[in-house]
Amino acid sequence: MSDTTSTENSLPAGTPTLAEKPPIAAPVPAATILLLRDGADGLEVFMQKRYVSSDPVDRFGGALIFPGGKVDVQDHDPVLRAYSRVAADIDDFQFALRIGAIREAFEECGVLLARPRGDDNVVSAERLLTLQTWRDRLNAGEITLADFVQSENLELACDLLVFYAHWITPPARLKRFDTYFFLAPAPHDHQLFHDGRESTDSLWTTVEDALAGGREKRHNIVFPTRSNLEKLAFSTTLATALDTAAKAVVVTVQPRVEKREDGIYVVIPKEAGYPNCEDKPEMRG
């Protein structure tokens, strides 16, 4: 009997052995929002620089990303249906995704896609200033989004969000996300900024400038972010971007890895509509 077998037989029942692969992690639902506006040089998108984590599994540390995060239990609160403007045929899961995107945008960058109930206009910048204490309490976990909108008699503007993309982290990753991307117009008078916790910097940028920054190594832009910027580059105005996304059929993207003679490639489906369907990641020392 080999030493390895003896060791394995001495382990508690259920302990994975060297010959066993770890179980595939279930992807966690997440929502990401691309806040857009028309700028002097064309369509602009709001982006944030993610904080650098000590977690070695975190590939997004220091990367330029869009606001967003995991869908929370509070995003599924049925009370929020009565405090949201949303199409009646949106199911509970899709509704929670839109709620999560709006909540994350408010928590992370201070923009609030909500209206005073009965009003067709998004809350003004003046009103938004009076709501910042709620944002702080949301970030601290002291209250829920339902508490907030009920107390302030607000209606979440889910109708402003347009489904844009759907990416699922490959099974080989230890951390996996089932991420839904949405486009939304940024309220013209809201001041967006990073929160100093999950993000350490932020900027409004044209798609072209963001992509150029990635090529020139001024920005760290990971493949999913770059791909969604490249698809957005087809649109030159806010109206065109929203209209194009509303008419498009979203194809789910789960990247796969291919080993080729010249290295490793990450490949996505051509039918998903992205200009570049493969990426050769740089090897890091």
Side-chain angles (χ1 to χ4, degrees):
M1 184 178 292
S2 69
D3 292 341
T4 301
T5 306
S6 299
T7 302
E8 290 177 355
N9 288 341
S10 66
L11 294 173
T15 302
T17 67
L18 294 175
E20 295 174 345
K21 294 183 179 180
I24 296 175
V28 177
T32 294
I33 187 165
L34 282 69
L35 293 160
L36 307 176
R37 72 181 185 186
D38 288 318
D41 296 319
L43 181 65
E44 295 182 344
V45 59
F46 182 76
M47 303 190 73
Q48 299 177 314
K49 184 176 181 180
R50 198 181 193 283
Y51 77 103
V52 178
S53 169
S54 59
D55 185 349
V57 180
D58 185 5
R59 298 182 302 118
F60 293 87
L64 205 59
I65 59 172
F66 311 115
K70 293 183 290 186
V71 175
D72 198 80
V73 173
Q74 64 178 306
D75 301 327
H76 293 272
D77 191 332
V79 170
L80 291 170
R81 280 275 186 179
Y83 289 86
S84 302
R85 194 173 299 186
V86 65
D89 60 349
I90 294 291
D91 63 32
D92 289 344
F93 178 68
Q94 290 294 328
F95 176 67
L97 288 167
R98 286 159 174 77
I99 293 296
I102 291 174
R103 176 184 54 76
E104 288 283 347
F106 184 47
E107 291 178 352
E108 289 189 10
C109 54
V111 65
L112 181 59
L113 297 176
R115 304 178 178 94
R117 287 183 64 133
D119 197 332
D120 287 333
N121 298 311
V122 173
V123 294
S124 66
E126 184 179 6
R127 173 79 187 279
L128 184 59
L129 286 174
T130 70
L131 303 175
Q132 290 305 307
T133 55
W134 287 102
R135 177 174 176 254
D136 295 338
R137 295 178 67 191
L138 270 172
N139 275 318
E142 296 174 0
I143 51 102
T144 66
L145 190 63
D147 296 330
F148 169 44
V149 296
Q150 286 179 293
S151 297
E152 293 291 339
N153 201 28
L154 297 173
E155 188 176 53
L156 299 171
C158 296
D159 57 311
L160 295 181
L161 275 63
V162 179
F163 184 28
Y164 179 64
H166 180 208
W167 285 59
I168 301 175
T169 310
R173 297 289 182 184
L174 296 178
K175 278 189 175 182
R176 302 184 66 212
F177 295 95
D178 182 4
T179 306
Y180 291 75
F181 293 78
F182 297 92
L183 304 183
H188 68 91
D189 60 347
H190 287 201
Q191 183 178 356
L192 280 67
F193 49 88
H194 51 280
D195 62 9
R197 299 180 304 105
E198 295 189 24
S199 57
T200 58
D201 199 0
S202 59
L203 74 158
W204 279 103
T205 176
T206 63
V207 174
E208 291 77 10
D209 283 348
L211 291 171
R215 290 191 300 269
E216 296 163 7
K217 310 302 181 186
R218 289 185 285 111
H219 303 310
N220 172 20
I221 301 181
V222 296
F223 183 49
T225 304
R226 186 171 76 246
S227 296
N228 282 301
L229 284 169
E230 289 171 343
K231 187 167 77 166
L232 191 61
F234 288 126
S235 300
T236 56
T237 66
L238 170 61
T240 302
L242 296 175
D243 184 63
T244 300
K247 293 176 180 177
V249 175
V250 175
V251 174
T252 298
V253 173
Q254 181 170 286
R256 56 186 176 82
V257 175
E258 285 187 4
K259 293 182 178 180
R260 302 178 185 174
E261 290 184 358
D262 61 338
I264 302 295
Y265 284 79
V266 178
V267 182
I268 62 175
K270 292 182 179 179
E271 57 268 25
Y274 290 94
N276 297 305
C277 296
E278 60 182 40
D279 179 55
K280 186 180 181 183
E282 294 183 5
M283 299 302 293
R284 297 182 180 181

